[in-house]
Amino acid sequence: PEEIMPEILLKGGQLYSGTKVAGDEKLIRDYYGSQGYADARVNTVLNPAGPNGVDVSYSVVEGGKSFVGKVNISGNVKTKDKVVRREVTLAPGDVFNTVELDASRKRLQNTGYYSQVDALPADSYEAGYRDINVSVVEQNTGSLVFGAGFSSIDSLVGYVNVTQTNFDVTEWPSFQGGGQKFNMGLRLGTERKDFSIGLEEPYFLDKRLALAGELFYRDLGFVSPNDAYEQRNIGGEVSLRRPVTEFSYVKLGYTLQQVEI
């Protein structure tokens, strides 16, 4: 109790809240689930305590501690197994952590490769172990956008942009399933010519290290009140990006270009 009580949302003397009770039940389940007690259950009992009071008791059935057995992947027709597996932070032999399992499901959902992701515990043939069944439903990850426009700066311009967020440079001819990010864009107009092509490998050497490269050609015309000139940029960029926390990263890049005015 001394480990759990400081985190409990519903305190003595407060107005009763069913929302806080549900939050406390989840907090207790997550506490046990993060330490391998995948089958822990919480039963809440309410007892009258005077005319305007109620006592709240949380009864916990801890169950036994479990470890991860097999991690089974299904539903990935185009996507390679390793692209799914690398987003699952639990591996065979780890303590079965239900909080990490839910975080892994969210990580897979956030890739944008799947319309539905399920990550559920399952019985294992080994005593004291639980398997993990990860099931995904793939969705379209490529796009082709084209159009035309007119502006006072660029005059008439047309553009085409092709992206594939689940690209695989080695998978001919579909070029899908490797978890790479590909982008190619072209803009042509009376005042500009702009072309770029880029590729990113988010798990370079199977580590959380993103290697990206881009080649570009930009030919732009500029008009100012006193002058008119053209600028041409030809070059490329390569970069490495590594996450520091969930919401931050460090990036090291090198750009080489020739600029003509």
Side-chain angles (χ1 to χ4, degrees):
E2 61 273 11
E3 296 181 46
I4 299 175
M5 284 302 296
E7 307 299 328
I8 290 296
L9 302 174
L10 192 65
K11 308 293 185 183
Q14 291 182 347
L15 191 67
Y16 175 82
S17 168
T19 301
K20 288 186 177 180
V21 170
D24 286 338
E25 292 174 345
K26 183 179 186 304
L27 184 148
I28 296 170
R29 285 196 303 271
D30 287 349
Y31 174 81
Y32 278 97
S34 66
Q35 302 187 48
Y37 296 89
D39 298 319
R41 301 194 310 275
V42 182
N43 300 315
T44 303
V45 179
L46 305 179
N47 293 310
N52 296 306
V54 62
D55 287 337
V56 182
S57 299
Y58 299 113
S59 175
V60 182
V61 181
E62 295 179 338
K65 192 169 185 176
S66 301
F67 295 86
V68 178
K70 296 180 180 179
V71 179
N72 304 309
I73 311 294
S74 64
N76 52 321
V77 179
K78 296 180 293 186
T79 307
K80 292 181 177 178
D81 261 27
K82 73 172 186 177
V83 175
V84 181
R85 203 172 293 274
R86 69 192 182 191
E87 302 296 340
V88 180
T89 57
L90 294 172
D94 291 347
V95 173
F96 197 99
N97 188 325
T98 58
V99 176
E100 284 292 322
L101 182 60
D102 187 56
S104 298
R105 182 190 60 79
K106 292 177 181 176
R107 281 172 56 126
L108 284 166
Q109 193 74 63
N110 289 340
T111 62
Y113 305 157
Y114 319 106
S115 61
Q116 181 179 332
V117 178
D118 292 312
L120 301 172
D123 293 335
S124 174
Y125 291 111
E126 294 185 75
Y129 285 80
R130 301 292 297 276
D131 291 345
I132 296 175
N133 290 339
V134 178
S135 175
V136 299
V137 178
E138 294 178 319
Q139 64 182 2
N140 183 28
T141 54
S143 67
L144 170 64
V145 180
F146 58 91
F150 181 85
S151 74
S152 58
I153 297 175
D154 294 328
S155 188
L156 185 64
V157 62
Y159 62 89
V160 178
N161 197 70
V162 179
T163 61
Q164 173 57 260
T165 58
N166 192 11
F167 189 76
D168 190 343
V169 70
T170 65
E171 193 67 30
W172 169 267
S174 65
F175 294 110
Q176 294 185 73
Q180 300 164 353
K181 294 175 174 59
F182 172 81
N183 182 76
M184 182 173 65
L186 174 65
R187 290 176 179 265
L188 289 176
T190 55
E191 299 295 334
R192 72 181 298 164
K193 300 178 183 68
D194 193 338
F195 174 77
S196 65
I197 183 170
L199 180 66
E200 179 183 303
E201 170 54 72
Y203 278 81
F204 182 56
L205 300 177
D206 291 327
K207 302 180 184 299
R208 293 201 68 191
L209 187 66
L211 174 65
E214 182 186 29
L215 297 175
F216 57 83
Y217 172 88
R218 301 185 181 100
D219 192 341
L220 309 177
F222 295 92
V223 178
S224 68
N226 301 317
D227 204 355
Y229 66 96
E230 291 186 1
Q231 178 174 322
R232 181 181 295 116
N233 296 49
I234 303 174
E237 178 183 11
V238 62
S239 65
L240 283 171
R241 187 182 73 250
R242 184 178 183 86
V244 178
T245 67
E246 186 178 357
F247 302 106
S248 63
Y249 62 85
V250 292
K251 180 179 178 180
L252 177 66
Y254 180 76
T255 302
L256 179 65
Q257 63 178 329
Q258 177 179 326
V259 182
E260 295 181 15
I261 303 294

